[in-house]
Amino acid sequence: MPTSQPETSGPSEERITPDDLLHARTGTEVSPEDIVLASGKDITPRNLEWAKRKLEAEGPSALDRLLP
C-alpha cells in the first residue's frame, strides 16, 4: 500500500520560520539562573558564579549563544 508523500520536496516560504521568531529572549532580564539552565548544568553556587561572569563579559546575548 503506497503512503502519501508531500507534493513538494523542498521547503516552502510558508514553512520557514522568520528570524524574529527564533530569538531566545523575550525582552526580559537574563539571570544567571537562565544561563546555567540553558547550558544544561545544575544550579549550584559554582555554576551561578560562572554564569555571572559570563553575563558580565557577554551581556544578555550570552543566553542566545548557548541555545540552539
Coordinates of all heavy atoms in Angstrom, one line a residue:
M1 N 0.8 -1.2 0.0 CA 0.0 0.0 0.0 C 0.9 1.2 0.0 O 1.7 1.4 0.9 CB -0.9 0.0 1.2 CG -1.8 1.2 1.3 SD -2.8 1.3 2.9 CE -3.7 -0.2 2.8
P2 N 0.7 2.1 -1.0 CA 1.6 3.3 -1.0 C 1.2 4.3 0.1 O 0.0 4.4 0.4 CB 1.3 3.9 -2.4 CG 0.0 3.3 -2.9 CD -0.1 2.0 -2.1
T3 N 2.2 5.0 0.6 CA 1.9 6.1 1.5 C 1.9 7.4 0.8 O 2.6 7.6 -0.2 CB 3.0 6.1 2.6 OG1 4.3 6.3 2.0 CG2 3.0 4.8 3.4
S4 N 1.1 8.3 1.3 CA 1.1 9.6 0.6 C 2.3 10.4 0.9 O 2.8 10.4 2.0 CB -0.2 10.4 1.0 OG -0.2 10.6 2.4
Q5 N 2.8 11.1 -0.1 CA 4.0 11.9 0.1 C 3.6 13.3 -0.3 O 2.8 13.6 -1.1 CB 5.1 11.4 -0.9 CG 5.6 10.0 -0.7 CD 6.4 10.0 0.6 OE1 7.1 10.9 1.0 NE2 6.3 8.9 1.3
P6 N 4.3 14.3 0.4 CA 4.0 15.7 0.0 C 4.4 15.9 -1.4 O 5.4 15.4 -1.9 CB 4.8 16.5 1.0 CG 5.7 15.5 1.8 CD 5.2 14.2 1.4
E7 N 3.7 16.8 -2.1 CA 3.9 17.1 -3.5 C 5.2 17.9 -3.7 O 5.8 17.8 -4.7 CB 2.7 17.8 -4.1 CG 1.5 16.9 -4.2 CD 0.4 17.6 -4.9 OE1 0.6 18.5 -5.6 OE2 -0.8 17.1 -4.7
T8 N 5.6 18.7 -2.7 CA 6.8 19.4 -2.9 C 7.9 18.8 -2.1 O 7.7 18.2 -1.0 CB 6.6 20.9 -2.4 OG1 6.3 20.8 -1.0 CG2 5.6 21.6 -3.2
S9 N 9.1 18.8 -2.6 CA 10.2 18.1 -2.0 C 11.1 19.1 -1.2 O 11.8 18.7 -0.3 CB 11.1 17.4 -3.0 OG 11.6 18.4 -3.9
G10 N 11.0 20.4 -1.4 CA 11.9 21.4 -0.7 C 11.0 22.2 0.2 O 9.8 22.1 0.2
P11 N 11.7 23.0 1.1 CA 11.0 23.8 2.0 C 10.3 25.0 1.2 O 10.8 25.5 0.3 CB 12.0 24.4 2.9 CG 13.3 24.3 2.1 CD 13.1 23.1 1.2
S12 N 9.1 25.3 1.7 CA 8.4 26.4 1.1 C 8.6 27.6 1.9 O 9.0 27.6 3.1 CB 6.9 26.1 0.9 OG 6.3 26.1 2.2
E13 N 8.3 28.8 1.3 CA 8.4 30.0 2.1 C 7.5 30.0 3.3 O 7.8 30.7 4.3 CB 8.1 31.2 1.2 CG 9.1 31.4 0.1 CD 10.5 31.8 0.7 OE1 10.5 32.6 1.6 OE2 11.5 31.3 0.2
E14 N 6.4 29.3 3.2 CA 5.4 29.3 4.3 C 5.9 28.5 5.5 O 5.5 28.7 6.6 CB 4.1 28.7 3.9 CG 3.4 29.6 2.8 CD 2.2 28.9 2.3 OE1 1.8 27.8 2.8 OE2 1.5 29.5 1.4
R15 N 6.9 27.6 5.3 CA 7.4 26.8 6.4 C 8.6 27.3 7.0 O 9.1 26.8 8.0 CB 7.7 25.4 5.8 CG 6.5 24.6 5.4 CD 6.9 23.2 5.0 NE 5.8 22.7 4.2 CZ 5.9 21.6 3.5 NH1 7.1 20.9 3.5 NH2 4.9 21.1 2.9
I16 N 9.2 28.3 6.5 CA 10.4 28.9 7.0 C 10.1 29.8 8.2 O 9.3 30.7 8.0 CB 11.2 29.7 5.9 CG1 11.7 28.7 4.9 CG2 12.4 30.4 6.5 CD1 12.3 29.3 3.7
T17 N 10.7 29.6 9.3 CA 10.5 30.5 10.5 C 11.3 31.8 10.4 O 12.5 31.7 10.2 CB 10.9 29.7 11.8 OG1 10.2 28.5 11.9 CG2 10.6 30.6 13.0
P18 N 10.6 32.9 10.5 CA 11.3 34.2 10.4 C 12.3 34.4 11.5 O 12.1 33.9 12.6 CB 10.2 35.2 10.5 CG 8.9 34.5 10.4 CD 9.2 33.1 10.7
D19 N 13.4 35.1 11.2 CA 14.4 35.3 12.2 C 13.9 35.9 13.5 O 14.4 35.6 14.6 CB 15.5 36.2 11.7 CG 16.4 35.4 10.7 OD1 16.4 34.2 10.6 OD2 17.2 36.1 9.9
D20 N 13.0 36.8 13.4 CA 12.5 37.5 14.6 C 11.8 36.5 15.6 O 11.6 36.8 16.7 CB 11.6 38.7 14.3 CG 10.4 38.3 13.5 OD1 10.3 37.3 12.9 OD2 9.4 39.1 13.6
L21 N 11.4 35.4 15.1 CA 10.7 34.4 16.0 C 11.7 33.4 16.5 O 11.4 32.6 17.4 CB 9.7 33.6 15.2 CG 8.5 34.4 14.7 CD1 7.5 33.6 14.0 CD2 7.8 35.1 15.9
L22 N 13.0 33.4 16.1 CA 14.0 32.4 16.5 C 14.8 32.9 17.7 O 15.6 32.1 18.3 CB 14.9 32.1 15.4 CG 14.3 31.4 14.2 CD1 15.3 31.3 13.1 CD2 13.8 30.1 14.6
H23 N 14.6 34.1 18.2 CA 15.4 34.6 19.3 C 15.0 34.0 20.6 O 13.8 33.8 20.8 CB 15.4 36.1 19.4 CG 16.0 36.8 18.2 ND1 17.3 36.8 18.0 CD2 15.4 37.4 17.1 CE1 17.6 37.4 16.8 NE2 16.4 37.8 16.3
A24 N 15.9 33.7 21.5 CA 15.6 33.1 22.7 C 15.0 34.0 23.8 O 14.2 33.6 24.6 CB 16.9 32.4 23.3
R25 N 15.4 35.2 23.8 CA 15.0 36.2 24.8 C 13.6 36.7 24.5 O 13.3 36.9 23.4 CB 16.0 37.3 25.0 CG 17.2 36.8 25.7 CD 18.2 37.9 25.9 NE 18.9 38.3 24.7 CZ 19.0 39.5 24.2 NH1 18.4 40.5 24.8 NH2 19.6 39.7 23.1
T26 N 12.9 37.0 25.6 CA 11.5 37.6 25.4 C 11.5 39.1 25.8 O 10.4 39.6 26.1 CB 10.5 36.8 26.2 OG1 10.9 36.9 27.6 CG2 10.5 35.3 25.8
G27 N 12.6 39.7 25.9 CA 12.6 41.1 26.3 C 12.8 41.3 27.8 O 12.8 42.4 28.3
T28 N 12.9 40.2 28.6 CA 13.0 40.3 30.0 C 14.5 40.2 30.3 O 15.3 39.8 29.5 CB 12.3 39.2 30.7 OG1 12.8 37.9 30.2 CG2 10.8 39.3 30.4
E29 N 14.8 40.5 31.6 CA 16.2 40.4 32.0 C 16.7 38.9 32.0 O 15.9 38.0 32.3 CB 16.3 40.9 33.5 CG 16.1 42.4 33.6 CD 17.4 43.1 33.1 OE1 18.5 42.7 33.4 OE2 17.2 44.2 32.5
V30 N 17.9 38.8 31.7 CA 18.5 37.4 31.7 C 19.2 37.3 33.0 O 20.1 38.1 33.4 CB 19.5 37.3 30.5 CG1 20.2 35.9 30.6 CG2 18.8 37.4 29.2
S31 N 18.9 36.2 33.7 CA 19.5 36.0 35.0 C 20.6 34.9 34.9 O 20.7 34.2 34.0 CB 18.4 35.5 36.0 OG 18.0 34.2 35.7
P32 N 21.5 34.9 35.9 CA 22.5 33.8 36.0 C 21.8 32.4 36.0 O 22.4 31.5 35.3 CB 23.2 34.1 37.3 CG 23.1 35.5 37.5 CD 21.7 35.9 37.0
E33 N 20.7 32.3 36.6 CA 20.0 31.0 36.6 C 19.6 30.6 35.2 O 19.7 29.5 34.8 CB 18.7 31.1 37.5 CG 19.0 31.2 39.0 CD 19.3 32.6 39.5 OE1 19.2 33.5 38.7 OE2 19.5 32.7 40.7
D34 N 19.2 31.6 34.4 CA 18.8 31.3 33.0 C 20.0 30.8 32.2 O 19.9 29.8 31.4 CB 18.3 32.6 32.2 CG 17.0 33.1 32.8 OD1 16.2 32.3 33.3 OD2 16.8 34.4 32.7
I35 N 21.2 31.4 32.4 CA 22.4 31.0 31.8 C 22.8 29.5 32.2 O 23.1 28.7 31.3 CB 23.6 31.9 32.1 CG1 23.3 33.3 31.6 CG2 24.9 31.4 31.5 CD1 23.2 33.5 30.1
V36 N 22.7 29.3 33.5 CA 23.1 27.9 34.0 C 22.1 26.9 33.3 O 22.6 25.9 32.8 CB 23.0 27.9 35.5 CG1 23.1 26.4 36.0 CG2 24.1 28.7 36.1
L37 N 20.8 27.1 33.4 CA 19.9 26.2 32.8 C 20.0 26.0 31.3 O 19.9 24.9 30.8 CB 18.4 26.6 33.2 CG 18.1 26.5 34.7 CD1 16.7 27.1 34.9 CD2 18.2 25.1 35.2
A38 N 20.3 27.1 30.6 CA 20.5 27.0 29.2 C 21.7 26.2 28.8 O 21.8 25.6 27.7 CB 20.6 28.4 28.5
S39 N 22.7 26.2 29.7 CA 23.9 25.4 29.4 C 23.8 23.9 29.8 O 24.7 23.2 29.5 CB 25.1 26.0 30.2 OG 24.9 25.8 31.6
G40 N 22.7 23.6 30.4 CA 22.4 22.2 30.7 C 23.0 21.8 32.1 O 23.1 20.6 32.4
K41 N 23.5 22.7 32.8 CA 24.1 22.4 34.1 C 23.1 22.6 35.3 O 22.0 23.2 35.1 CB 25.3 23.4 34.4 CG 26.3 23.3 33.3 CD 27.4 24.4 33.6 CE 28.5 24.3 32.5 NZ 29.5 25.3 32.7
D42 N 23.4 22.0 36.4 CA 22.6 22.2 37.6 C 22.9 23.5 38.2 O 24.0 24.1 38.1 CB 23.0 21.1 38.6 CG 22.5 19.7 38.2 OD1 21.5 19.6 37.5 OD2 23.2 18.7 38.5
I43 N 21.9 24.1 38.9 CA 22.1 25.3 39.6 C 22.8 25.1 40.9 O 22.3 24.5 41.9 CB 20.8 26.0 39.9 CG1 20.1 26.4 38.5 CG2 20.9 27.3 40.7 CD1 18.8 27.1 38.6
T44 N 24.1 25.4 40.9 CA 25.0 25.3 42.1 C 25.7 26.6 42.3 O 25.7 27.4 41.4 CB 26.0 24.2 41.9 OG1 26.9 24.6 40.8 CG2 25.4 22.8 41.6
P45 N 26.2 26.9 43.5 CA 26.9 28.2 43.7 C 28.1 28.3 42.7 O 28.2 29.4 42.1 CB 27.4 28.0 45.1 CG 26.5 27.2 45.8 CD 26.1 26.1 44.7
R46 N 28.8 27.3 42.4 CA 29.9 27.4 41.4 C 29.4 27.7 40.0 O 29.9 28.6 39.3 CB 30.6 26.1 41.4 CG 31.8 26.1 40.5 CD 32.5 24.7 40.5 NE 33.6 24.7 39.5 CZ 34.3 23.7 39.2 NH1 34.0 22.5 39.7 NH2 35.3 23.8 38.3
N47 N 28.3 27.1 39.6 CA 27.8 27.4 38.2 C 27.1 28.7 38.2 O 27.2 29.4 37.1 CB 26.7 26.3 37.8 CG 27.4 25.0 37.6 OD1 28.6 24.9 37.3 ND2 26.6 23.9 37.6
L48 N 26.5 29.2 39.3 CA 26.0 30.6 39.3 C 27.1 31.6 39.2 O 26.9 32.6 38.5 CB 25.1 30.8 40.5 CG 23.8 30.1 40.6 CD1 23.2 30.2 41.9 CD2 22.9 30.6 39.5
E49 N 28.2 31.4 39.8 CA 29.3 32.3 39.7 C 29.9 32.3 38.3 O 30.2 33.4 37.7 CB 30.5 31.9 40.7 CG 30.2 32.3 42.1 CD 29.9 33.8 42.3 OE1 30.6 34.6 41.7 OE2 28.9 34.1 43.0
W50 N 30.0 31.2 37.6 CA 30.4 31.1 36.2 C 29.4 31.9 35.3 O 29.8 32.6 34.5 CB 30.4 29.6 35.8 CG 30.5 29.4 34.3 CD1 31.6 29.6 33.5 CD2 29.4 29.1 33.5 NE1 31.2 29.4 32.2 CE2 29.9 29.1 32.1 CE3 28.0 28.9 33.6 CZ2 29.1 28.8 31.0 CZ3 27.2 28.6 32.5 CH2 27.8 28.6 31.3
A51 N 28.1 31.7 35.6 CA 27.1 32.4 34.8 C 27.1 33.9 35.0 O 27.0 34.7 34.0 CB 25.7 31.9 35.1
K52 N 27.4 34.3 36.2 CA 27.5 35.8 36.5 C 28.7 36.4 35.7 O 28.6 37.4 35.1 CB 27.7 36.0 38.0 CG 26.4 35.8 38.8 CD 26.7 36.0 40.3 CE 25.6 35.6 41.1 NZ 25.8 35.7 42.6
R53 N 29.8 35.7 35.7 CA 31.0 36.2 35.0 C 30.7 36.2 33.5 O 31.0 37.1 32.7 CB 32.2 35.3 35.2 CG 32.8 35.4 36.6 CD 34.1 34.8 36.8 NE 34.1 33.4 36.4 CZ 33.8 32.4 37.2 NH1 33.5 32.6 38.5 NH2 33.8 31.1 36.8
K54 N 30.0 35.2 33.0 CA 29.6 35.1 31.6 C 28.7 36.2 31.2 O 28.9 36.9 30.1 CB 29.0 33.7 31.2 CG 28.8 33.5 29.8 CD 28.5 32.0 29.6 CE 28.3 31.6 28.1 NZ 29.6 31.8 27.4
L55 N 27.7 36.5 32.0 CA 26.8 37.6 31.8 C 27.5 39.0 31.8 O 27.3 39.9 30.9 CB 25.7 37.7 32.8 CG 24.4 36.9 32.5 CD1 23.5 36.9 33.7 CD2 23.8 37.4 31.2
E56 N 28.5 39.1 32.7 CA 29.2 40.4 32.8 C 30.1 40.6 31.5 O 30.2 41.7 31.0 CB 30.1 40.4 34.0 CG 29.3 40.6 35.3 CD 30.2 40.4 36.5 OE1 31.4 40.2 36.4 OE2 29.7 40.5 37.6
A57 N 30.6 39.5 31.0 CA 31.5 39.6 29.8 C 30.8 39.7 28.5 O 31.2 40.4 27.6 CB 32.4 38.3 29.8
E58 N 29.7 38.9 28.4 CA 29.0 38.9 27.1 C 27.6 39.6 27.1 O 27.1 39.8 26.0 CB 28.7 37.4 26.7 CG 30.0 36.6 26.6 CD 29.8 35.1 26.3 OE1 28.7 34.8 25.8 OE2 30.7 34.3 26.6
G59 N 27.1 39.9 28.2 CA 25.8 40.6 28.3 C 24.7 39.6 28.0 O 24.9 38.3 28.0
P60 N 23.4 40.0 27.8 CA 22.3 39.1 27.7 C 22.4 38.2 26.5 O 21.8 37.2 26.4 CB 21.1 40.1 27.5 CG 21.6 41.4 28.1 CD 23.0 41.4 27.9
S61 N 23.2 38.6 25.5 CA 23.4 37.7 24.3 C 24.1 36.4 24.6 O 24.1 35.5 23.8 CB 24.1 38.5 23.2 OG 25.4 38.7 23.6
A62 N 24.6 36.3 25.8 CA 25.2 35.0 26.2 C 24.2 33.9 26.2 O 24.5 32.8 25.9 CB 25.8 35.2 27.6
L63 N 23.0 34.2 26.5 CA 21.9 33.2 26.5 C 21.6 32.8 25.1 O 21.5 31.6 24.8 CB 20.6 33.8 27.1 CG 19.4 32.8 27.2 CD1 19.8 31.7 28.2 CD2 18.2 33.6 27.8
D64 N 21.6 33.7 24.1 CA 21.4 33.3 22.7 C 22.5 32.4 22.2 O 22.3 31.6 21.4 CB 21.3 34.6 21.9 CG 20.1 35.4 22.2 OD1 19.1 34.8 22.6 OD2 20.2 36.6 22.0
R65 N 23.7 32.6 22.7 CA 24.8 31.8 22.2 C 24.8 30.4 22.7 O 25.3 29.5 22.1 CB 26.2 32.5 22.6 CG 26.4 33.7 21.9 CD 27.8 34.3 22.3 NE 28.0 35.6 21.6 CZ 28.0 36.7 22.3 NH1 27.9 36.7 23.6 NH2 28.2 37.8 21.6
L66 N 24.1 30.2 23.9 CA 24.0 28.9 24.5 C 22.9 28.0 23.9 O 23.0 26.8 23.8 CB 23.8 29.0 26.0 CG 25.0 29.5 26.8 CD1 24.6 29.8 28.2 CD2 26.1 28.4 26.8
L67 N 21.9 28.7 23.4 CA 20.7 27.9 22.9 C 20.8 27.7 21.4 O 21.4 28.5 20.7 CB 19.4 28.7 23.2 CG 19.1 28.9 24.7 CD1 17.9 29.9 24.8 CD2 18.8 27.6 25.4
P68 N 20.4 26.5 21.0 CA 20.4 26.2 19.6 C 19.5 27.1 18.7 O 18.6 27.6 19.1 CB 20.0 24.8 19.5 CG 19.3 24.5 20.8 CD 19.8 25.5 21.8

